[in-house]
Amino acid sequence: MDNWDEIRTAYQVARLGTVSGAAEVLGVHHATVIRHIDALEGRLGVKLFQRHARGYTATEAGHDLMRVAQTTDDQLQQLEGRIKGRGNEVAGDLLVTSLVAFAPLLVPALTSFRAQYPDVIVRFLTDDRVFRLEYGEAHVALRAGPAPQEPDNVVQSFARQDIALYAHRDYITKHGMPEGEDDLKDHFFVSHDDPESRAPFARWLRGHVPADHVVFRSTDSRVLEAAVAEGAGIGFMGAREAALRPELVQVMPPREDWASPLWLVTHVDLHRTAKVQAFLSHLKAFAGEGSAR
């Protein structure tokens, strides 16, 4: 791409709206920014910007160019991350992604890993969306549910997430301990706000508890755990996470049909690198030690 510098300049002008802002981000003189814009408009034969006293506003053609430039810029940054991850040293960025619910496992594992490899910079990214390893968005992903099927990924069975029902001891003191499933209809619950959630324990709850008894709802697992810990009602929680909260009482033990298998996912291009292999080995050992305690 012979004129990528000019396109990148136009993208920053469109994004920021001023020549000075683009110059600062790019680390060039403002005259260079103007020269790039003029040259690109001359080459394409269209106006990319409307000039006015407050700065530059992208025309329709400018918006089209900005969308292409943004995609290209994102992909180049992701490629850079993948290339940097192919070295033979256990150093630099380590990008790990998971649902936030797995933070109680991954945060201490990542902390102890960095203590062993101090040249590593940990980046732990949590989101409900599936990060695309083929674009370099992560080195290692921890996922729950059915085995991931994306091509060019290496998928390893890791463990399973044991789920049980918990309540704060003050809730139990006030409302009593359910003696069995038949008693659940007389209690209050904390659960996900999505009535169509496909999580096996959420489906089970819909079949055993009236909807109007789910009195505290959220889309964030951290909020749900906090609500259970505050006594808002009975709720599902990972057994590992609940063990860290002595104020919680297990209302019903983990069940096979509530459990979710966990998978470690890496991209085939990065799977054999020293950094990824070192972390995979560390995480497996860490999780094994945790389950033995």
Side-chain angles (χ1 to χ4, degrees), residues 101-140:
F102 300 126
L105 165 64
L106 286 175
V107 168
L110 286 163
T111 301
S112 58
F113 180 73
R114 193 183 173 282
Q116 186 175 350
Y117 298 100
D119 292 331
V120 168
I121 297 173
V122 168
R123 296 179 62 194
F124 179 33
L125 312 178
T126 59
D127 204 313
D128 288 340
R129 76 177 180 90
V130 175
F131 284 79
R132 301 184 65 178
L133 274 63
E134 68 272 24
Y135 283 162
E137 291 187 337
H139 295 112
V140 179

Side-chain angles (χ1 to χ4, degrees), residues 271-292:
H271 179 69
R272 292 295 178 189
T273 60
K275 180 164 54 182
V276 168
Q277 284 297 307
F279 179 66
L280 291 176
S281 297
H282 181 85
L283 179 59
K284 292 173 184 176
F286 184 91
E289 292 170 1
S291 62

Side-chain angles (χ1 to χ4, degrees), residues 36-273:
H36 281 179
I37 296 299
D38 290 345
L40 190 57
E41 288 182 333
R43 183 177 292 107
L44 297 175
V46 296
K47 285 293 183 183
L48 299 173
F49 298 96
Q50 293 176 335
R51 282 78 165 169
H52 50 77
R54 296 186 305 277
Y56 282 45
T57 299
T59 62
E60 184 177 357
H63 281 297
D64 286 343
L65 180 71
M66 184 174 69
R67 283 191 288 269
V68 173
Q70 182 174 13
T71 299
T72 304
D73 188 59
D74 289 345
Q75 291 178 346
L76 287 173
Q77 289 185 30
Q78 292 159 3
L79 176 62
E80 181 182 1
R82 287 176 59 184
I83 291 172
K84 287 180 178 178
R86 292 176 183 169
N88 293 321
E89 297 181 356
V90 184
D93 287 358
L94 174 67
L95 284 77
V96 178
T97 178
S98 78
L99 295 172
V100 73
F102 300 126
L105 165 64
L106 286 175
V107 168
L110 286 163
T111 301
S112 58
F113 180 73
R114 193 183 173 282
Q116 186 175 350
Y117 298 100
D119 292 331
V120 168
I121 297 173
V122 168
R123 296 179 62 194
F124 179 33
L125 312 178
T126 59
D127 204 313
D128 288 340
R129 76 177 180 90
V130 175
F131 284 79
R132 301 184 65 178
L133 274 63
E134 68 272 24
Y135 283 162
E137 291 187 337
H139 295 112
V140 179
L142 176 60
R143 297 179 184 167
Q149 300 294 325
E150 297 93 342
D152 298 327
N153 282 348
V154 179
V155 178
Q156 301 178 65
S157 176
F158 176 54
R160 75 173 191 175
Q161 184 186 30
D162 287 327
I163 303 292
L165 273 174
Y166 295 89
H168 193 283
R169 57 173 174 259
D170 290 346
Y171 175 92
I172 298 300
T173 299
K174 182 176 181 180
H175 299 281
M177 173 69 83
E179 297 298 328
E181 292 184 10
D182 290 342
D183 292 341
L184 295 180
K185 64 182 182 302
D186 299 322
H187 285 267
F188 301 106
F189 286 82
V190 172
S191 189
H192 200 282
D193 193 48
D194 180 6
E196 303 299 324
S197 173
R198 293 181 296 174
F201 53 86
R203 292 199 301 265
W204 183 91
L205 188 68
R206 290 196 295 269
H208 289 79
V209 172
D212 60 356
H213 280 225
V214 181
V215 297
F216 195 113
R217 309 179 188 194
S218 176
T219 58
D220 191 315
S221 62
R222 293 166 295 187
V223 174
L224 297 176
E225 290 181 8
V228 173
E230 288 295 324
I234 301 171
F236 289 101
M237 194 179 298
R240 178 190 291 266
E241 292 73 33
L244 302 175
R245 296 179 178 267
E247 72 276 15
L248 296 184
V249 176
Q250 190 176 93
V251 175
M252 290 184 66
R255 291 173 46 136
E256 188 70 30
D257 56 339
W258 295 346
S260 180
L262 303 182
W263 310 92
L264 290 173
V265 187
T266 55
H267 192 269
V268 66
D269 289 349
L270 301 180
H271 179 69
R272 292 295 178 189
T273 60

